[in-house]
């Protein structure tokens, strides 16, 4: 499984939004500047995140974007599935009761794919946006004090 730029940039943008929207709505241009993501691409990602119910837009002079739920209630899995779709490492008809595969009765590799799928989902579902915001603040604090530098 490979996470595309949609997933990577979208997660970075949502972490940024979570950090800065605690005070006021955040504009796409400010996120784009801080995260070095084009505004056009970011607009597409924000639209997908809004459709998934993870963020909402505020119109008007002081408008922008805010989280639709508390950051502790949004998992990395929620974000990645909103942007990437399924996180399954392979398309396997044996995962679904409706679909059928000619080899599913005697196929043992489906157990491998199922275990990998369960592991991926468990991992991304256990990490909350709040944890990433706290980690980001910690990394930023260390960077500003000059003790440790983080590479992008």
């Amino acid at each position: 499984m490979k996470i595309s730029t949609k997933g990577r940039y979208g997660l970075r943008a949502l972490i940024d939004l979570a950090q800065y929207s605690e005070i006021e709505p955040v504009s796409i241009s400010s996120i784009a500047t801080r995260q070095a993501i084009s505004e056009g691409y970011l607009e597409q990602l924000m639209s997908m995140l809004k459709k998934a119910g993870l963020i909402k837009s505020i119109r008007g002079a002081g408008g922008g974007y805010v989280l639709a739920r508390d950051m502790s209630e949004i998992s990395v899995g929620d974000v990645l599935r909103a942007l990437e779709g399924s996180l399954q490492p392979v398309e396997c008809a044996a995962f679904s009761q409706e679909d059928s595969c000619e080899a599913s009765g005697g196929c043992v590799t489906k157990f491998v794919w199922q275990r990998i799928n369960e592991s991926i989902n468990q991992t991304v579902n256990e990490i909350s946006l709040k944890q990433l915001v706290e980690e980001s603040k910690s990394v930023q604090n260390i960077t500003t004090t000059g003790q440790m530098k983080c590479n992008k």
Side-chain angles (χ1 to χ4, degrees):
M1 180 185 94
K2 188 171 185 172
I3 303 295
S4 72
T5 55
K6 280 195 289 190
R8 294 192 323 267
Y9 288 6
L11 188 55
R12 280 180 29 208
L14 207 56
I15 293 166
D16 185 287
L17 176 67
Q19 281 183 283
Y20 292 95
S21 69
E22 291 178 311
I23 298 166
E24 61 187 3
V26 180
S27 70
I28 284 184
S29 63
S30 64
I31 296 171
T33 300
R34 283 190 296 268
Q35 297 301 318
I37 302 170
S38 87
E39 283 188 42
Y41 193 52
L42 192 52
E43 285 175 7
Q44 293 174 33
L45 300 177
M46 297 303 261
S47 175
M48 294 171 78
L49 294 168
K50 184 178 175 185
K51 186 177 177 183
L54 299 176
I55 63 172
K56 56 187 176 183
S57 59
I58 309 293
R59 293 179 178 246
Y65 288 89
V66 295
L67 296 177
R69 305 190 311 243
D70 188 86
M71 67 177 92
S72 63
E73 297 174 10
I74 299 172
S75 73
V76 170
D78 295 331
V79 178
L80 293 179
R81 279 186 287 278
L83 298 169
E84 300 281 352
S86 171
L87 300 178
Q88 291 181 349
V90 294
E91 292 295 324
C92 178
F95 288 169
S96 164
Q97 297 287 11
E98 303 87 43
D99 295 334
S100 177
C101 172
E102 291 175 15
S104 68
C107 178
V108 285
T109 60
K110 69 182 175 187
F111 297 107
V112 174
W113 312 138
Q114 204 161 19
R115 293 272 309 271
I116 291 171
N117 186 48
E118 289 166 1
S119 264
I120 290 168
N121 281 303
Q122 180 180 357
T123 300
V124 297
N125 289 339
E126 287 177 352
I127 304 169
S128 73
L129 188 57
K130 181 177 179 160
Q131 290 171 292
L132 293 177
V133 167
E134 289 168 357
E135 183 67 25
S136 177
K137 288 178 181 177
S138 171
V139 168
Q140 287 173 357
N141 185 40
I142 290 170
T143 303
T144 57
T145 61
Q147 293 176 350
M148 186 171 123
K149 248 196 165 37
C150 178
N151 296 327
K152 281 190 178 180

